[in-house]
Amino acid sequence: MGKKNINRPPYRKLRGYAFDPSTSLDMDTAEVNHITYKVPWEDDLKPGPEGDYIHVIDRDPASDAVYEPVDLNEPAILATDGLAPSETNPQFHQQMVYAVIMYTIKNFEKALGRKVLWSPVSVIGKDKKFRQQFVEKLLVYPHAVRDQNAYYSPERKALLFGYYNATPVDGGLFLPGGIVYSCLSHDIIAHETTHALLDGMYSRYMEITHPDVGGFHEGFSDIVALLQHFTYPEIVRNQIRKVKGEMNSENMLSKLAVEFGQSTGEYHSLRDAIGKTVDGEWMKAPCSTADYESEENIECHGRGALLVAAVFDAFTAIYKSRTADLVRLATGGTGIVPAGEIHPDLVNRLADEASKIASHVLNMCVRALDYCAPVDLTYGDYLRALITADRELVANDDHNYRIAFINAFRKRGIFPEGVPNLSVDTLCYNAVDEEGEKAGFSRKIVQFLRGFKDKLAYKTDRREIFEETQKFISGSTDIPGFHRLLFDKLTAGNAAVFENITGLILSSQFKDFGIRSSKSYGKDVPAIEIQSIRILNKTGPSGNLQNQIIMSLVQSCPVAVSENRNGKKVFTKYRYGNKQDAAGDSMTFRGGCTLIFDLDDLTLRHAIRKPIFDPCRPTARAKLRFNEGRLNMQYRCEFGDLVEKMGLAARKDTDEMFAFIHQPNTAVL
């Protein structure tokens, strides 16, 4: 008799902490801090763990130790849903980082509707041309540094977690001097993983050209960690019972990295979405125009906290609206919850609604990434991306999710540029005007991209997806490549249309504007970086199907840095081909555009632009003017001051931005 065919398990169960080890020492939360993560099943998972997405390597340079890798396929471990939570077992530390990273990846892939890719490595081939090299696995080091730090390294394509001795705190839950491991905090692991996932989509967000760019990386990573709290039913029920259904009350669900905040000398969590207790008094999270415009909120974490507060505000508003009927039924129509504990049935219903809403909001936040420009993102841009992405997939906003987001951003003075009002209609990105359609601009491209979708439609191997994408970008023996399509066909008569739609430069005078050149096709053409081409194929709740291709383009212009008579930093364009000015440094100014094509009707739906020469762009408050056909670009001093205020000018290791930002003296995570 042949071997019986056994169905592949849908997921792997692994035990871990819902928050961090310190929560198990609190009588109110100890019973719910141990949970079981359900992560995607990987057939070829090796000891480490080492799977399709990550490779956990447990070397401890501080103690010169190498810990034995955990084998999650060991029968005893499989039978007991993984190793039991433990602060002293390095193998559990490996299991914990694997579980949370894979859980976070699963949430991203669910929202985006495709496989995620890590940021590639640029290499120079034998032909002296730059190429993108596939990064198969993110490296994860649970005990990388003996320091109050944890960070994503874009240079190493790795997550590095630190450990340290707890600061003595009167009344704290820690043994003074006891060891605290950042790799055991759900929030820190999810936060750092999100940094890596963001870098895989938009590598230029690593360049902090505006306070919101650095704030977005930090704030968005916090949002993912925060909303994942609500996906664990036992935790949600416990906290809903404690706060009697009031999400605006202080609770564990809205806190981030509790153990880290307390073990470094604080009594509260590191960051809180709704506020925190300071000197015995409850202080609400930032909620005013003054907070957004304040110079105190230029630092990445302070800026990020505004985004977290806005998203959590929208979440609580939606929760309150969707549960109002339950509260009325439970209170006889008064809406006032009486003293004492609320009924367990009400706890369960409120918890179900909270988890469902959090899942919706998390999906909205992640889906919006596809509708963002590839450079120089502002919070106003992100609000427009949120509204546009949601309306394209969900036609009927019966529960007013979009209005909740608009109001939450409005209360904090976060307003998009170039919109007449804050209605849903005006915040949604408009469809591209008919000029491009008449010239056949989008039809030529979409016909080309249909072949891209046909090649990738049924591929699940991430390496194959990456390599096929690179073929369509750069070309191969059987595929001409988008670059050749762009310069061979569009320049024939559509260059002006392309420039008008994308805000990038394609004309033959590009050198006069300082645009870098490329000789990929035997002639000088303006260099345009095709950052990514990705498929968007999702079905909305009403059955509507999105069948789209998203393409992100970036163009660069070099500028030089010098000082004016008053000692202020000034950025001026130096002409194409010139060396760096002897009097100053150099920097790169970038423009970009995200193009969203509809494959069903062969049209370009949206062009989300950051024009490379646009005086209205908020980046560095650039002043631009054309003089005799050449661009004279001059920046006011705000950008130089911004760099200094954020402390980035003093950073020597330019490749390890997060290591610097996450230092204890600048905050962590």
PDB file of all heavy atoms in Angstrom, residues 252-267:
ATOM      1  N   MET A 252      -3.144  48.352  27.746  1.00  0.00           N
ATOM      2  CA  MET A 252      -1.938  47.736  27.183  1.00  0.00           C
ATOM      3  C   MET A 252      -1.949  47.707  25.659  1.00  0.00           C
ATOM      4  O   MET A 252      -0.905  47.716  25.019  1.00  0.00           O
ATOM      5  CB  MET A 252      -1.811  46.301  27.707  1.00  0.00           C
ATOM      6  CG  MET A 252      -1.343  46.209  29.143  1.00  0.00           C
ATOM      7  SD  MET A 252       0.361  46.800  29.336  1.00  0.00           S
ATOM      8  CE  MET A 252       1.251  45.618  28.338  1.00  0.00           C
ATOM      9  N   LEU A 253      -3.143  47.670  25.055  1.00  0.00           N
ATOM     10  CA  LEU A 253      -3.226  47.547  23.604  1.00  0.00           C
ATOM     11  C   LEU A 253      -2.638  48.751  22.886  1.00  0.00           C
ATOM     12  O   LEU A 253      -2.171  48.654  21.757  1.00  0.00           O
ATOM     13  CB  LEU A 253      -4.690  47.354  23.182  1.00  0.00           C
ATOM     14  CG  LEU A 253      -5.342  46.045  23.652  1.00  0.00           C
ATOM     15  CD1 LEU A 253      -6.841  46.091  23.406  1.00  0.00           C
ATOM     16  CD2 LEU A 253      -4.734  44.848  22.949  1.00  0.00           C
ATOM     17  N   SER A 254      -2.689  49.922  23.538  1.00  0.00           N
ATOM     18  CA  SER A 254      -2.208  51.149  22.894  1.00  0.00           C
ATOM     19  C   SER A 254      -0.765  51.471  23.247  1.00  0.00           C
ATOM     20  O   SER A 254      -0.238  52.495  22.831  1.00  0.00           O
ATOM     21  CB  SER A 254      -3.102  52.333  23.293  1.00  0.00           C
ATOM     22  OG  SER A 254      -2.978  52.599  24.677  1.00  0.00           O
ATOM     23  N   LYS A 255      -0.122  50.590  24.008  1.00  0.00           N
ATOM     24  CA  LYS A 255       1.251  50.853  24.430  1.00  0.00           C
ATOM     25  C   LYS A 255       2.243  50.110  23.541  1.00  0.00           C
ATOM     26  O   LYS A 255       1.932  49.069  22.979  1.00  0.00           O
ATOM     27  CB  LYS A 255       1.449  50.433  25.881  1.00  0.00           C
ATOM     28  CG  LYS A 255       0.622  51.245  26.881  1.00  0.00           C
ATOM     29  CD  LYS A 255       0.841  50.737  28.293  1.00  0.00           C
ATOM     30  CE  LYS A 255       0.003  51.509  29.293  1.00  0.00           C
ATOM     31  NZ  LYS A 255       0.395  52.911  29.378  1.00  0.00           N
ATOM     32  N   LEU A 256       3.442  50.639  23.476  1.00  0.00           N
ATOM     33  CA  LEU A 256       4.497  50.028  22.674  1.00  0.00           C
ATOM     34  C   LEU A 256       5.756  49.845  23.515  1.00  0.00           C
ATOM     35  O   LEU A 256       6.176  50.760  24.218  1.00  0.00           O
ATOM     36  CB  LEU A 256       4.827  50.903  21.466  1.00  0.00           C
ATOM     37  CG  LEU A 256       3.768  50.942  20.357  1.00  0.00           C
ATOM     38  CD1 LEU A 256       3.981  52.158  19.485  1.00  0.00           C
ATOM     39  CD2 LEU A 256       3.827  49.676  19.535  1.00  0.00           C
ATOM     40  N   ALA A 257       6.319  48.649  23.438  1.00  0.00           N
ATOM     41  CA  ALA A 257       7.599  48.352  24.091  1.00  0.00           C
ATOM     42  C   ALA A 257       7.590  48.734  25.569  1.00  0.00           C
ATOM     43  O   ALA A 257       8.404  49.516  26.036  1.00  0.00           O
ATOM     44  CB  ALA A 257       8.739  49.054  23.370  1.00  0.00           C
ATOM     45  N   VAL A 258       6.648  48.149  26.311  1.00  0.00           N
ATOM     46  CA  VAL A 258       6.516  48.454  27.738  1.00  0.00           C
ATOM     47  C   VAL A 258       7.794  48.118  28.495  1.00  0.00           C
ATOM     48  O   VAL A 258       8.315  48.915  29.270  1.00  0.00           O
ATOM     49  CB  VAL A 258       5.322  47.678  28.341  1.00  0.00           C
ATOM     50  CG1 VAL A 258       5.254  47.898  29.847  1.00  0.00           C
ATOM     51  CG2 VAL A 258       4.021  48.114  27.675  1.00  0.00           C
ATOM     52  N   GLU A 259       8.324  46.919  28.262  1.00  0.00           N
ATOM     53  CA  GLU A 259       9.518  46.474  28.987  1.00  0.00           C
ATOM     54  C   GLU A 259      10.695  47.403  28.714  1.00  0.00           C
ATOM     55  O   GLU A 259      11.417  47.793  29.632  1.00  0.00           O
ATOM     56  CB  GLU A 259       9.871  45.046  28.580  1.00  0.00           C
ATOM     57  CG  GLU A 259      11.110  44.512  29.294  1.00  0.00           C
ATOM     58  CD  GLU A 259      11.412  43.084  28.887  1.00  0.00           C
ATOM     59  OE1 GLU A 259      11.710  42.838  27.712  1.00  0.00           O
ATOM     60  OE2 GLU A 259      11.357  42.218  29.773  1.00  0.00           O
ATOM     61  N   PHE A 260      10.880  47.787  27.462  1.00  0.00           N
ATOM     62  CA  PHE A 260      12.024  48.632  27.136  1.00  0.00           C
ATOM     63  C   PHE A 260      11.915  49.975  27.846  1.00  0.00           C
ATOM     64  O   PHE A 260      12.880  50.469  28.420  1.00  0.00           O
ATOM     65  CB  PHE A 260      12.124  48.841  25.623  1.00  0.00           C
ATOM     66  CG  PHE A 260      13.417  49.490  25.219  1.00  0.00           C
ATOM     67  CD1 PHE A 260      14.490  48.720  24.840  1.00  0.00           C
ATOM     68  CD2 PHE A 260      13.568  50.858  25.274  1.00  0.00           C
ATOM     69  CE1 PHE A 260      15.696  49.309  24.504  1.00  0.00           C
ATOM     70  CE2 PHE A 260      14.765  51.461  24.931  1.00  0.00           C
ATOM     71  CZ  PHE A 260      15.834  50.678  24.547  1.00  0.00           C
ATOM     72  N   GLY A 261      10.715  50.580  27.803  1.00  0.00           N
ATOM     73  CA  GLY A 261      10.545  51.881  28.446  1.00  0.00           C
ATOM     74  C   GLY A 261      10.821  51.830  29.937  1.00  0.00           C
ATOM     75  O   GLY A 261      11.491  52.694  30.494  1.00  0.00           O
ATOM     76  N   GLN A 262      10.318  50.780  30.600  1.00  0.00           N
ATOM     77  CA  GLN A 262      10.482  50.686  32.047  1.00  0.00           C
ATOM     78  C   GLN A 262      11.903  50.295  32.448  1.00  0.00           C
ATOM     79  O   GLN A 262      12.438  50.787  33.431  1.00  0.00           O
ATOM     80  CB  GLN A 262       9.472  49.677  32.605  1.00  0.00           C
ATOM     81  CG  GLN A 262       8.020  50.138  32.451  1.00  0.00           C
ATOM     82  CD  GLN A 262       7.042  49.101  32.955  1.00  0.00           C
ATOM     83  OE1 GLN A 262       7.408  47.951  33.201  1.00  0.00           O
ATOM     84  NE2 GLN A 262       5.793  49.499  33.099  1.00  0.00           N
ATOM     85  N   SER A 263      12.531  49.425  31.663  1.00  0.00           N
ATOM     86  CA  SER A 263      13.854  48.931  32.051  1.00  0.00           C
ATOM     87  C   SER A 263      14.964  49.932  31.765  1.00  0.00           C
ATOM     88  O   SER A 263      16.102  49.725  32.171  1.00  0.00           O
ATOM     89  CB  SER A 263      14.155  47.614  31.321  1.00  0.00           C
ATOM     90  OG  SER A 263      14.253  47.840  29.933  1.00  0.00           O
ATOM     91  N   THR A 264      14.641  51.016  31.059  1.00  0.00           N
ATOM     92  CA  THR A 264      15.645  52.052  30.807  1.00  0.00           C
ATOM     93  C   THR A 264      15.420  53.269  31.693  1.00  0.00           C
ATOM     94  O   THR A 264      15.929  54.347  31.408  1.00  0.00           O
ATOM     95  CB  THR A 264      15.624  52.482  29.326  1.00  0.00           C
ATOM     96  OG1 THR A 264      14.293  52.860  28.959  1.00  0.00           O
ATOM     97  CG2 THR A 264      16.090  51.361  28.430  1.00  0.00           C
ATOM     98  N   GLY A 265      14.638  53.090  32.761  1.00  0.00           N
ATOM     99  CA  GLY A 265      14.487  54.165  33.731  1.00  0.00           C
ATOM    100  C   GLY A 265      13.160  54.878  33.707  1.00  0.00           C
ATOM    101  O   GLY A 265      12.972  55.867  34.422  1.00  0.00           O
ATOM    102  N   GLU A 266      12.203  54.400  32.893  1.00  0.00           N
ATOM    103  CA  GLU A 266      10.894  55.033  32.816  1.00  0.00           C
ATOM    104  C   GLU A 266       9.859  54.121  33.465  1.00  0.00           C
ATOM    105  O   GLU A 266      10.014  52.910  33.509  1.00  0.00           O
ATOM    106  CB  GLU A 266      10.504  55.294  31.350  1.00  0.00           C
ATOM    107  CG  GLU A 266      11.499  56.163  30.604  1.00  0.00           C
ATOM    108  CD  GLU A 266      11.471  57.610  31.040  1.00  0.00           C
ATOM    109  OE1 GLU A 266      10.491  58.002  31.698  1.00  0.00           O
ATOM    110  OE2 GLU A 266      12.420  58.338  30.722  1.00  0.00           O
ATOM    111  N   TYR A 267       8.739  54.716  33.922  1.00  0.00           N
ATOM    112  CA  TYR A 267       7.669  53.927  34.521  1.00  0.00           C
ATOM    113  C   TYR A 267       6.612  53.531  33.494  1.00  0.00           C
ATOM    114  O   TYR A 267       5.725  52.757  33.777  1.00  0.00           O
ATOM    115  CB  TYR A 267       6.984  54.714  35.649  1.00  0.00           C
ATOM    116  CG  TYR A 267       7.839  54.821  36.895  1.00  0.00           C
ATOM    117  CD1 TYR A 267       8.616  55.935  37.125  1.00  0.00           C
ATOM    118  CD2 TYR A 267       7.870  53.782  37.818  1.00  0.00           C
ATOM    119  CE1 TYR A 267       9.406  56.039  38.267  1.00  0.00           C
ATOM    120  CE2 TYR A 267       8.656  53.868  38.957  1.00  0.00           C
ATOM    121  CZ  TYR A 267       9.425  55.001  39.181  1.00  0.00           C
ATOM    122  OH  TYR A 267      10.200  55.103  40.297  1.00  0.00           O
TER     123      TYR A 267
END
